[in-house]
Amino acid sequence: MISPGLPRVALIAGPTASGKSALALALAEKHRGTVINADSMQVYADLRILTARPSEAEEARAPHRLFGHIDGAEACSAARWAGEARAAITEAHAEGRLPILVGGTGLYLRTLIDGIAPIPGIDPAIRADVRALPVADAYAALRLADPLAAARLNATDSSRVARALEVIRSTGRTLADWQDRREGGIGGDIHLGALILLPDREWLGERIERRFGTMLATAKDEVRRLLSRIDVPGDAPVLRAIGVDEIGKVLAGEWREEKALAAGATATRQYAKRQYTWFRRQPPGGWELTTETDTYRNLSHIERKLFL
């Protein structure tokens, strides 16, 4: 049901290689849309091919925002992206265009729609101490300080374990406590037409295999340029893009291409599995899920959510 008087925003999300970009572009061309990136790796300028950003030809078919606009030496947070996405949505509405959010980073989308937890700045000394810990030690400390967070997290997820630990050590409150008090979300100010693409996993796995093979054949130059930059810190998020390590080892002569292909495709399938889990469990009401893979059937589906 359309919320009267509220500006429309489309949201197309799902795991990597699910066809969401094609659907977003089809919707943009039919309804004068602006495509707004919601993928945490596609924000970086350095890796167009490896992160499957839209091509220049695709970008010429409709306005695109927040794709490749951040240098790889920087780090983009969910809060930064949400602020930029709010501005891009406002700009699209001012131009009489339909904002179309597209991506697979659930944290970004929830931050924009629901708001962000008002967590105070972390004490720099505490952050330095926590980030210096081996992940096993940090996880053991988190189990003592915040056992519920530890139970939710993968023991080897160094960034999320460190974040949960530094928050409770610096603020005296758990990350979950802070996240219960979100502020600044736009969900109540828009009519959101959301469609989550969750195709058959075997179908998706075949697409992932083919796509990573193409990336391996065509992305070597951009990976070489990224890895040659002395200004990109070793913990820069862009270096965690799937394929950087695998192709880097091929370039260094450490791996044969066959090994890199197998490792990269496996890592991508594992990432897609985590996205499946998130989108099945986390989205609020109204974020409809579909297994449909035909772009134009999905186009009709999201049109009904937006306009009927």
Side-chain angles (χ1 to χ4, degrees):
M1 181 177 180
I2 300 299
S3 305
L6 294 182
R8 294 176 176 86
V9 175
L11 189 161
I12 299 168
T16 183
S18 59
K20 53 189 179 289
S21 296
L23 175 57
L25 189 54
L27 183 63
E29 289 185 311
K30 187 172 180 181
H31 294 283
R32 201 168 182 269
T34 294
V35 182
I36 302 171
N37 172 47
D39 181 285
S40 63
M41 286 299 161
Q42 291 186 352
V43 300
Y44 295 109
D46 303 72
L47 298 175
R48 180 188 289 273
I49 298 171
L50 204 60
T51 62
R53 268 172 38 209
S55 66
E56 292 182 0
E58 288 169 329
E59 290 182 338
R61 291 164 57 184
H64 284 65
R65 299 289 183 267
L66 310 188
F67 289 90
H69 69 299
I70 296 177
D71 185 82
E74 301 178 47
C76 182
S77 67
R80 173 179 173 176
W81 175 84
E84 293 172 340
R86 282 194 296 270
I89 289 169
T90 299
E91 175 192 61
H93 284 147
E95 295 173 349
R97 308 191 70 92
L98 172 68
I100 305 168
L101 297 162
V102 58
T105 303
L107 176 61
Y108 277 23
L109 294 168
R110 286 298 298 265
T111 300
L112 174 66
I113 304 302
D114 295 340
I116 191 166
I119 302 171
I122 302 301
D123 182 296
I126 291 176
R127 169 162 287 170
D129 288 344
V130 168
R131 300 288 166 146
L133 291 172
V135 65
D137 292 349
Y139 187 75
L142 183 63
R143 288 182 66 183
L144 293 174
D146 185 358
L148 292 178
R152 288 194 302 270
L153 296 175
N154 186 317
T156 61
D157 191 335
S158 58
S159 61
R160 288 184 172 84
V161 168
R163 177 60 174 164
L165 182 59
E166 70 186 15
V167 166
I168 193 167
R169 285 187 173 180
S170 184
T171 71
R173 301 182 61 172
T174 68
L175 185 58
D177 286 342
W178 286 108
Q179 289 175 336
D180 284 340
R181 300 189 297 136
R182 293 179 175 272
E183 300 173 353
I186 67 170
D189 301 322
I190 60 171
H191 168 75
L192 183 68
L195 187 63
I196 312 302
L197 308 184
L198 294 178
D200 175 78
R201 294 196 186 192
E202 183 176 347
W203 177 91
L204 186 67
E206 293 173 355
R207 285 173 63 92
I208 286 171
E209 191 87 25
R210 291 197 304 271
R211 192 174 80 171
F212 195 82
T214 300
M215 290 175 175
L216 182 61
T218 57
K220 291 187 180 72
D221 285 344
E222 67 178 20
V223 172
R224 183 183 291 109
R225 286 193 296 270
L226 174 63
L227 295 179
S228 69
R229 291 185 56 179
I230 61 174
D231 61 326
V232 176
D235 61 351
V238 70
L239 296 178
R240 297 198 294 270
I242 295 172
V244 171
D245 181 61
E246 293 85 354
I247 293 176
K249 287 177 177 175
V250 171
L251 295 174
E254 299 175 19
W255 281 8
R256 297 176 62 87
E257 290 197 0
E258 293 82 0
K259 184 174 182 178
L261 175 58
T266 296
T268 307
R269 284 194 294 270
Q270 291 170 341
Y271 177 56
K273 182 179 179 180
R274 293 194 296 273
Q275 290 177 303
Y276 263 95
T277 300
W278 195 96
F279 283 115
R280 285 196 181 279
R281 296 180 181 175
Q282 296 294 329
W287 292 30
E288 189 169 344
L289 312 180
T290 180
T291 60
E292 178 61 66
T293 58
D294 183 85
T295 295
Y296 291 98
R297 289 177 184 167
N298 282 328
L299 177 61
S300 297
H301 196 162
I302 197 167
E303 284 176 326
R304 288 194 294 271
K305 295 180 69 65
L306 283 166
F307 303 115
L308 297 182

